[in-house]
Amino acid sequence: MGLHSCSAGTTILTLKPASIPSTMHLSSPSLRSSVAAVCRRRLTISRTLAHRSPFLIRALSSAAAQPLVDSTTTSSLDHGVKPQWKAAIDFKSILENKSAVAENLKNRNSSANLDLVIELYERLLQLQKEVEDLRYERNTVANKMKGKVEPLERQRLIEEGKNLKEKLVTLEENLIKLTDTLQREAQCIPNMTHPDVPIGGEDSSTIRKTVGTPRDFTFSIKDHVQIGKELDLLDFDAAAEVSGSKFYYLKNEAVLLEMGLINWTLSEVMKRGFTPLTTPEIARSLVVEKCGFQPRGDNTQVYSIEGTDQCLIGTAEVPVGGIHMDSILSHSSLPLKYVAYSHCFRTEAGAAGAATKGLYRVHQFSKVEMFILCRPEESNAYHEELIEIEEELFSKLGLHFKTLDMATGDLGAPAYRKYDIEAWMPGLGRYGEISSASNCTDYQSRRLGIRYRPENSTSPLTNTNKNKGRNLSPPEFVHTLNATACAVPRMMVCLLENYQQEDGSVVIPEPLRPFMGGIQVVTPRSN
């Protein structure tokens, strides 16, 4: 979908779905031949979330971070695309836990090429040793020339040093290329998975909790599309003419309902110690990628802005995750708990059928998102807190819902574990997802470069000027978590359908009334 313009002197950036092939498949000959051309178009981002593991993938040492490439094999692996960023990946840990990583990839249906990653890493270590040996040899020659040397011997050493320098330049170039190739492949590996997560596809997800029961209607029920039309709350037809399908206008009390949902949700979550934010709704592509959203070719969920390195956000998780990018937080500042309001934009590529009817699946919507940065040992506990907050919010609104522990095949790349909440939508005649809560462990922080410095052990020398800084603990990566507090359109689906009355009116749940100017019931308009 693109925006095109028109009036003289006016320039409009063109939006289009982000599309780049996943480097997970670089081992495929057919993709290898096309990767360079396609990737040069532009890095944009999509919606794949994948996750890492109980063993936390640690950063490469500065030495190992230099990629190594064998000149005889570089050409087949060099796709001419240098990574825009590099995740701090612990390749040694992947190597030592190869079986566990392979099983995790299988359970997640991931196409990441583990064998290629290990092959590249071992080649990198070999090439790195060759580089170090050559540097040592060159330094030895240079040291010999510092002393008294016969003219013929000096000339021989000069030639030898020149040859060594040329070889070293070639090897170092190969090292950089190999490092880049290794990073591209390794960054396709998803997060590891909590051992209690069910294995299998979405149908294998288990019910963790059920709240309430479906309302027993004594009259013929309507779906939210019909309710919205009859109460003059929604206009899909006009929006389709103006913007295209899957857009909508909110009208009259629906506008107040959206604002009421947002303000009520913010006030409730802030009681739990969350700092409120509004965020930018455009993010750099590399930030979206660092948060773990990968393009899925034609099925990308991300709108990119043509001619730039920017895209529209699909969730506030992206700009909130980027706030502390490339920083070291103090131990005492954690946890950092944010609740962010933003508009979100998704292409919803491939979505079709009754499951997408009306407000259920749209291109633009308002959302309130919770985001936590914490110490590693605390992330499981905060994951429980997030799902507890979600369940409390939806219970206060009187919804019937179930909480699911999502199976491995339904996890996105960053998620170590994910809980979804599905609420009963009587007009649609099914349960629909209204929220999710994910523990991403250090998957995102290793990409975003967010670390914290643990408290160091007590030492009488710590505060002296002479020893200042010597006893500082090395920084560690934080854990990040995210959860949806309120996705407005789907909440409207639930409220309009569950609170509809026989006379065509809709009752407003009590908690929302003070945030809607005291409105208790939305009634049909008189002709």
Side-chain angles (χ1 to χ4, degrees), residues 18-26 31-32 34-44 184 188 289 294-298:
S19 177
I20 52 186
S22 171
T23 54
M24 293 180 185
H25 309 286
L26 289 181
L31 284 180
R32 283 185 177 180
S34 62
V35 159
V38 179
C39 287
R40 271 193 290 266
R41 291 179 202 163
R42 213 176 34 158
L43 285 178
T44 42
R184 285 196 303 269
C188 295
E289 289 182 330
Q294 299 293 337
R296 288 184 176 177
D298 293 337

Side-chain angles (χ1 to χ4, degrees), residues 413-425:
Y416 174 60
R417 191 175 199 177
K418 179 167 75 95
Y419 299 134
D420 277 3
I421 292 182
E422 296 184 353
W424 178 245
M425 301 175 177

Side-chain angles (χ1 to χ4, degrees), residues 73-87:
T73 59
T74 302
S75 59
S76 65
L77 294 171
D78 176 18
H79 308 290
V81 181
K82 185 178 181 62
Q84 298 292 305
W85 53 276
K86 293 181 180 180

